[in-house]
Structure formats: structure tokens, C-alpha cells
Amino acid sequence: MKIYNFSAGPACLPEPVLNATQKAAIEYKETGMSIMEMSHRSEPIVDLFHETTSRVRELLDVPSNYHVLWLQGGASMQFAMVPMNLLSNTSTADYIETGSWSTKAISECNKVAKANVIASSKQDVFSYIPKEYKQKIDSKYLHITSNNTIYGTQYKVFPKVDNRDGCLVADMSSDIFSTPINVSDFGLIYAGAQKNMGPAGVTLVIVREDLVNNELDHLPTMMRYDTHVQKDSMFNTPPVLSVFVVNETLKWIEDQGGVVSIGSSNKIMSEKLYAEIERNTLFRSPVAIEDRSTMNIPFVFNDDSMDDNDFLQFCDARGLKTLKGHRSVGGFRASIYNAMPMEGVDALIKAMQDYEDR
Ligand code: PMP
């Protein structure tokens, strides 16, 4: 039976990527060694990092005044590194709270500086993206979460930063490479790899040159962007295997026609599933129509007394896995990242229809 993994992350990866990884795990590029045994200082691995970085630059059309970094510690580490590097203890930043991940980013900022929460949809269980707010005049950056993995909301238009010296910072962990973006609209973008880009263990940071501060001697070395810029993301032993898988995933994205083409198929795939949620008498979407994510699609039973586990087991028996909604929302969540094939979504739609008929 074909298995479709709807997990929110770590998430399904394209089959050619898994095959290439299997091969490299045994032997990398006729070296007689597994990629996991190779020094990060060796030529093939230095080349791999350069190649992966070039692919990011090409696919997202990253301007030359931005650095591309491969870091560890996940997006969660960036919750702290961003304010540590971009703020001083007298400056502040604006945050829009659109879900648990932005709440965590706010909390980390408040440990090192001050976060102004200028808008929040918490009161409405993060079912929409707030659009009315006033930015603080002297704020150094405005932080957003571009796609809210748990609640299934996504920015369709990014906010403009009012302050001339400020910039937009985005956590794009769950929608990077899902559609084209204009990198120059941002000062800094970060994303854990384990959804659209590869496995856990590596985090992509794209940061504008002028935001990399070389005078942060009070910070631990590993927490400074300039450390990683100067050492080409090899200040310490980097997660080589994770970067290899990212490189293979980016190759696969290129083979699909790049982010424009990926973006159109993600749109078609998500619209198909939303249409079934609307049509089906059993289910509904808890998310505001205009903010619905193309990546994470939560849905719930119309009738609270119905048993979620029964539908989950029904799906599971058909090879449709990991559809349980996040514990804070309940119900179901279909995460349909880039690597989810249309057949997976069709199979889920069929299961929803058969369950309704039953
Ligand atoms: N931000 C978002 C939007 C996420 O979805 C996640 C993980 N699910 C995180 C941050 C945290 O990422 P990590 O586990 O890599 O620290």
C-alpha cells in the first residue's frame, strides 16, 4: 500500500532525494567513504556547501548583499539569535503574534531585549492574521511568522515596515521554497529545514549584509551571525548530511521548474482540499478564508460529538498517516508541503468522501 505522510514536520521528502541519500550514506562521490565520515574541511564537502548555497541564491533570486548561512539549533535558536544580534538592551522590536511559534519568538526576544507585541490573534485561537496595527516609531525590526504550522494561516501579502531604519524579519520555517518571495523585502529570513527543505538538523538564515554586526563581543561566539559569515558556516562541525539532503531537495525543486511552478501546484493542491472541506457535510475549516495556508490545512468535524480517532483510524488503514491536528487545536491537519504528491491529496479527498458516505 502506498503511504502518504501528512506530518507537519519532519515531513515527507521526495523519493529521488531519499534514494540519493541512501547512496551517499554508503559512499559519497566515489571517495570510498560515507558522507557521514567525511571531514567538513575536505574538498567535496566544502564544494557541497557552496553548491547548496548557490542553489538557494538561484531559486530565491537572493541579492548579492545578503549572506546565506547554514546553522544549527533549529528555528528556535533563531528566536534568540535575531534579537541578540539585531537589538541592544535599549532598543526594541515589533512582533505580530500569529501562533505558538511567534509566541515563543516573542518570549525569547524578551529575555534579551524588548518585544512590542503590536497585534495578536490569540483571542481567536489564531484563526486569522491580524492586519490592523501600528508599528512603533523606533522599532529595529518587525517580526512575522510567514506560515503558522499549527493553525494553518499564512501571509498572502507581507507587511511593509514603516520605520525607514527598520526591516522585516520572517520565520519561514513552514513555507520557504513553497512560492516565490522577494528577498529584498526582508532584512532577515530564517527557516528550519525539516518541512520544505530537508531533514532536521540545519537551519537556513538569509541575512542582509548591513545587519551583520561585528562588534558584539559580549555575545557567545556561536550566537553571532558574523562568526558564521566569516567562517562560511563552518565555524564548528556543521551537519553535513542534513545539508546534503537540502541540496538534493533543492535539485528536486529545480527539476519541478523552480518555486514559481512549485507555487502553482501548491495552490492547486490546497484549493482542491479546501473545496472538499467546504463541500463535505462532515467537516469545516476553522481558518479565515483569506488567510488559509497552502501548506498546513487544519479541519474539524462540524459535529463536536463525532470521534476524531475513528476518522484517523479510517485514514490510517488507507495509508494516510499523521493527520491528527496539533493538540492545541484538535481535529485534523493535513500538511501538504512541496513533496506531497497530488495523488496523496486525492487519496485524502476520497477518504473524506467515503467516510461521509459511510
Ligand atoms: N517556527 C515554525 C513556523 C515552526 O513550524 C517550527 C517547528 N515546527 C519552529 C519555528 C521551530 O522549529 P525548530 O524545531 O527547528 O526549532
Side-chain angles (χ1 to χ4, degrees):
M1 181 172 46
K2 175 81 187 140
I3 300 293
Y4 294 106
N5 176 13
F6 290 91
S7 167
C12 63
L13 287 167
E15 216 167 293
V17 172
L18 297 177
N19 289 331
T21 308
Q22 183 184 39
K23 192 157 169 278
I26 304 296
E27 183 181 9
Y28 187 57
K29 291 208 162 167
E30 284 145 38
T31 55
M33 283 182 250
S34 160
I35 191 164
M36 290 177 281
E37 301 170 329
M38 294 180 70
S39 163
H40 51 294
R41 310 281 176 215
S42 66
E43 199 180 310
I45 303 302
V46 172
D47 288 350
L48 168 69
F49 272 62
H50 287 154
E51 195 181 311
T52 315
T53 298
S54 303
R55 289 212 149 85
V56 172
R57 289 195 175 278
E58 282 280 314
L59 281 166
L60 296 181
D61 200 10
V62 179
S64 58
N65 62 326
Y66 283 74
H67 296 288
V68 173
L69 303 175
W70 302 104
L71 306 184
Q72 298 180 66
S76 301
M77 179 82 102
Q78 295 311 307
F79 296 163
M81 272 181 84
V82 167
M84 284 168 108
N85 283 265
L86 270 51
L87 299 179
S88 67
N89 51 13
T90 53
S91 55
T92 70
D94 291 347
Y95 279 72
I96 301 181
E97 190 184 32
T98 51
S100 313
W101 297 112
S102 30
T103 309
K104 287 188 173 147
I106 290 161
S107 150
E108 291 300 286
C109 176
N110 278 326
K111 290 185 190 204
V112 295
K114 183 171 180 322
N116 312 307
V117 182
I118 58 167
S120 172
S121 49
K122 191 172 185 173
Q123 294 238 316
D124 296 294
V125 205
F126 298 118
S127 57
Y128 69 98
I129 303 263
K131 299 175 191 73
E132 304 278 314
Y133 43 82
K134 197 161 165 24
Q135 297 173 37
K136 295 267 191 278
I137 196 152
D138 52 357
S139 188
K140 292 284 179 203
Y141 61 83
L142 168 62
H143 181 284
I144 60 163
T145 311
S146 59
N147 182 75
N148 296 281
T149 324
I150 296 174
Y151 303 92
T153 59
Q154 183 176 33
Y155 278 87
K156 306 295 170 181
V157 180
F158 294 116
K160 293 260 175 292
V161 175
D162 291 345
N163 173 6
R164 225 162 17 101
D165 301 324
C167 66
L168 188 60
V169 171
D171 172 2
M172 292 198 180
S173 293
S174 52
D175 66 352
I176 189 129
F177 295 112
S178 70
T179 193
I181 50 166
N182 188 6
V183 173
S184 57
D185 289 344
F186 300 85
L188 189 150
I189 293 168
Y190 62 90
Q194 66 271 24
K195 294 149 204 304
N196 259 341
M197 222 182 354
V202 70
T203 307
L204 170 66
V205 174
I206 304 175
V207 56
R208 209 174 61 206
E209 210 163 58
D210 60 289
L211 296 171
V212 178
N213 188 339
N214 298 313
E215 292 166 358
L216 296 169
D217 289 338
H218 62 286
L219 288 187
T221 316
M222 278 291 284
M223 301 301 283
R224 295 171 58 163
Y225 289 124
D226 64 329
T227 301
H228 303 288
V229 167
Q230 280 158 23
K231 297 288 182 186
D232 251 349
S233 303
M234 291 210 186
F235 171 72
N236 71 323
T237 317
V240 171
L241 182 65
S242 296
V243 172
F244 170 83
V245 185
V246 170
N247 190 41
E248 292 302 314
T249 309
L250 299 183
K251 272 190 211 168
W252 176 85
I253 294 177
E254 289 167 2
D255 292 344
Q256 307 308 299
V259 284
V260 173
S261 149
I262 286 261
S264 329
S265 48
N266 284 335
K267 190 162 180 285
I268 295 170
M269 209 154 57
S270 57
E271 280 172 358
K272 222 174 170 183
L273 184 50
Y274 284 119
E276 175 59 20
I277 295 168
E278 295 298 323
R279 188 215 59 79
N280 196 305
T281 53
L282 298 181
F283 303 103
R284 71 180 170 83
S285 161
V287 179
I289 291 175
E290 69 277 14
D291 299 327
R292 288 180 183 175
S293 169
T294 55
M295 300 275 97
N296 310 97
I297 305 192
F299 54 102
V300 294
F301 278 133
N302 273 320
D303 176 353
D304 289 349
S305 67
M306 282 182 71
D307 177 12
D308 288 357
N309 281 329
D310 190 63
F311 179 62
L312 289 170
Q313 279 162 16
F314 182 83
C315 289
D316 196 78
R318 296 170 164 228
L320 308 174
K321 307 281 177 180
T322 347
L323 280 162
K324 193 174 167 55
H326 189 271
R327 59 192 175 280
S328 59
V329 193
F332 318 103
R333 172 177 49 170
S335 294
I336 52 168
Y337 298 115
N338 292 351
M340 174 58 69
M342 188 65 89
E343 297 80 57
V345 172
D346 289 341
L348 173 59
I349 290 173
K350 179 81 173 51
M352 291 162 80
Q353 292 169 348
D354 290 352
Y355 197 73
E356 182 187 34
D357 288 346
R358 198 188 72 165

